[in-house]
Amino acid sequence: MTESQASNFTPRVFSGAQPSGNMHLGNYLGAFRNWVKLQDQFDECLYCVVDMHAITVWQNPSDLRDQIREAAAAYIASGVNPEKSILFNQSQVSGHAELAWVFNCVARLGWLNRMTQFKDKAGKNREKATTGLYVYPNLMAADILLYKGTHVPVGEDQKQHLELTRDIASSFNENYEAEVFPLTEPLIQAEGARIMSLRDGTKKMSKSDPSDLSRINLTDDVDAISKKVRKAKTDADAIPSEVDGLEGRPEAKNLLGIYAALSDKSLADVCQQFGGQGFGDFKKDFADLATSHLAPITTEMARLMENPDHVDDVLRKGAERARAIAEPVMNEVKDVIGFLR
Ligand code: TYM
């Protein structure tokens, strides 16, 4: 989008995460940390627990309720201020489902067939995947555009979905000859946008990895973090003093990259700092840094989870504020399409 197009719309940040359990360091470094910074740069930020996305794969109902609360607790513990930002739960605002249907009638099969996340998640058993998983990116576009979101802070893995969001927005605007939706800008950070598994540096750190050793969860205590860092896969070579020396060493690159993101340094600076050392000593520093960052978050999450009524209340109030923005947008969409209301 050109700057002039962007300026036709009120700057508004939207982002979300799936409450599918095991919120991890990748979510924190790729997303939550950035969400918190943006609260000071934008007047309006909406941070959503996307429970409707979570049920595109099976979720046990009573676990889901706790996972939704835990996701909200993770946002707040990471620094999202629910007084300032709008923190809410997707299924409590019906406009998400309504607009997603409209977008099902805008997006093309060919566009969805290109989505790599569907291919990864459906795997070989494609015929058994839910249709919800297939049209997931249309719901994601609806999440953002229901609020005419202009900026979306995410990790690298969501880039393709945001390109689709732009395609849907421009197609809708073109079909109906009306400038209803902005072309959303992704906000992806230089460091921390793609945190990899601690067991395999070629795989993304993920909530659904069956190995708990592959990720640092936001609920992990100091001992668990230390153990996972100790067991993190590395190689036998020393740490290089230049970034080029990390070529073909995905696990080494990942650990140094995480260190860089946590300490707000560049990867080049971290290579300089530790160049020549083995991974044994580095891992001790790494565990200390990760623990000092995450311990306050873990403690605050645990405190919030002891009072689920408070978390539910925060989400209810957030949904009310979100509905106030969504309703006029949905009315505009209905008018433009030719629905009666
Ligand atoms: P989800 O729940 O998988 O992840 C939430 C956020 O965390 C980021 N992330 C990572 N960043 C760096 N390294 C990693 N290993 C890593 N794993 C996850 C994700 O990029 C994301 O920013 N489809 C989205 C949720 C969503 C959404 C939206 C996001 C639904 N509607 C609208 C933005 C706007 C998802 O599955 O994220």
Side-chain angles (χ1 to χ4, degrees):
M1 167 163 52
T2 62
E3 285 307 315
S4 63
Q5 272 176 301
S7 62
N8 290 338
F9 294 92
T10 309
R12 196 172 279 147
V13 172
F14 183 96
S15 201
Q18 294 190 60
S20 35
N22 299 330
M23 286 294 176
H24 54 72
L25 186 62
N27 298 129
Y28 175 70
L29 291 176
F32 305 159
R33 199 172 62 144
N34 205 13
W35 299 1
V36 173
K37 287 184 195 149
L38 292 167
Q39 293 181 123
D40 298 328
Q41 295 163 28
F42 286 80
D43 288 338
E44 286 186 293
C45 298
L46 293 106
Y47 297 125
C48 182
V49 177
V50 293
D51 54 352
M52 288 160 63
H53 279 91
I55 63 159
T56 54
V57 298
W58 172 250
Q59 303 291 334
N60 177 292
S62 69
D63 290 348
L64 182 60
R65 270 186 279 275
D66 284 339
Q67 287 163 201
I68 292 169
R69 293 180 181 121
E70 194 172 273
Y75 296 5
I76 298 169
S78 300
V80 168
N81 174 358
E83 298 294 322
K84 185 168 194 298
S85 297
I86 301 180
L87 197 172
F88 72 107
N89 189 27
Q90 187 183 29
S91 63
Q92 289 178 343
V93 181
S94 59
H96 291 259
E98 282 183 78
L99 189 58
W101 178 258
V102 173
F103 290 167
N104 285 345
C105 304
V106 173
R108 306 288 140 169
L109 285 179
W111 303 355
L112 293 178
N113 285 339
R114 283 198 291 274
M115 296 295 115
T116 54
Q117 194 155 306
F118 175 76
K119 289 178 198 161
D120 291 348
K121 284 203 172 176
K124 290 194 188 87
N125 225 343
R126 206 183 143 103
E127 299 296 309
K128 291 248 165 76
T130 65
T131 47
L133 190 66
Y134 188 67
V135 293
Y136 176 116
N138 297 343
L139 177 59
M140 181 160 161
D143 297 339
I144 300 163
L145 297 175
L146 184 60
Y147 307 95
K148 302 196 182 202
T150 55
H151 295 81
V152 180
V154 283
E156 183 80 37
D157 61 339
Q158 297 300 316
K159 211 169 154 184
Q160 196 186 32
H161 288 156
L162 293 184
E163 279 158 16
L164 185 91
T165 301
R166 291 166 69 97
D167 288 343
I168 289 175
S170 64
S171 210
F172 183 97
N173 290 349
E174 235 173 81
N175 293 347
Y176 292 103
E177 295 179 0
E179 212 194 337
V180 177
F181 296 120
L183 301 189
T184 305
E185 296 285 346
L187 299 176
I188 298 174
Q189 313 197 91
E191 310 292 349
R194 193 167 174 78
I195 303 296
M196 310 307 278
S197 154
L198 299 181
R199 305 298 298 163
D200 177 351
T202 63
K203 267 172 47 188
K204 194 178 73 165
M205 184 178 284
S206 142
K207 299 180 194 112
S208 56
D209 194 314
S211 166
D212 197 51
L213 287 176
S214 70
R215 70 184 155 258
I216 295 178
N217 299 309
L218 296 185
T219 48
D220 281 345
D221 61 17
V222 175
D223 290 343
I225 294 176
S226 302
K227 178 178 162 201
K228 287 176 180 181
V229 173
R230 244 187 355 262
K231 294 202 172 243
K233 193 173 163 200
T234 47
D235 54 39
D237 292 340
I239 294 172
S241 46
E242 307 269 338
V243 174
D244 287 354
L246 291 170
E247 199 62 41
R249 300 175 64 188
E251 285 82 16
K253 188 171 178 193
N254 186 37
L255 286 189
L256 291 161
I258 295 175
Y259 191 97
L262 279 172
S263 57
D264 266 327
K265 290 183 178 157
S266 69
L267 186 57
D269 284 346
V270 175
C271 285
Q272 279 236 306
Q273 185 182 345
F274 292 99
Q277 287 190 23
F279 276 98
D281 287 341
F282 170 76
K283 278 184 169 182
K284 289 191 191 102
D285 279 354
F286 184 109
D288 287 347
L289 180 67
T291 305
S292 68
H293 248 81
L294 297 182
I297 297 176
T298 310
T299 309
E300 178 63 0
M301 274 177 77
R303 194 187 67 82
L304 288 161
M305 289 303 287
E306 273 170 23
N307 191 352
D309 288 347
H310 168 69
V311 176
D312 292 1
D313 199 44
V314 167
L315 289 172
R316 252 193 309 273
K317 288 190 177 127
E320 231 167 82
R321 290 165 70 198
R323 275 194 295 269
I325 304 176
E327 210 176 273
V329 177
M330 211 49 229
N331 285 341
E332 186 185 353
V333 168
K334 287 177 182 170
D335 290 347
V336 162
I337 291 179
F339 287 168
L340 297 177
R341 57 180 181 94

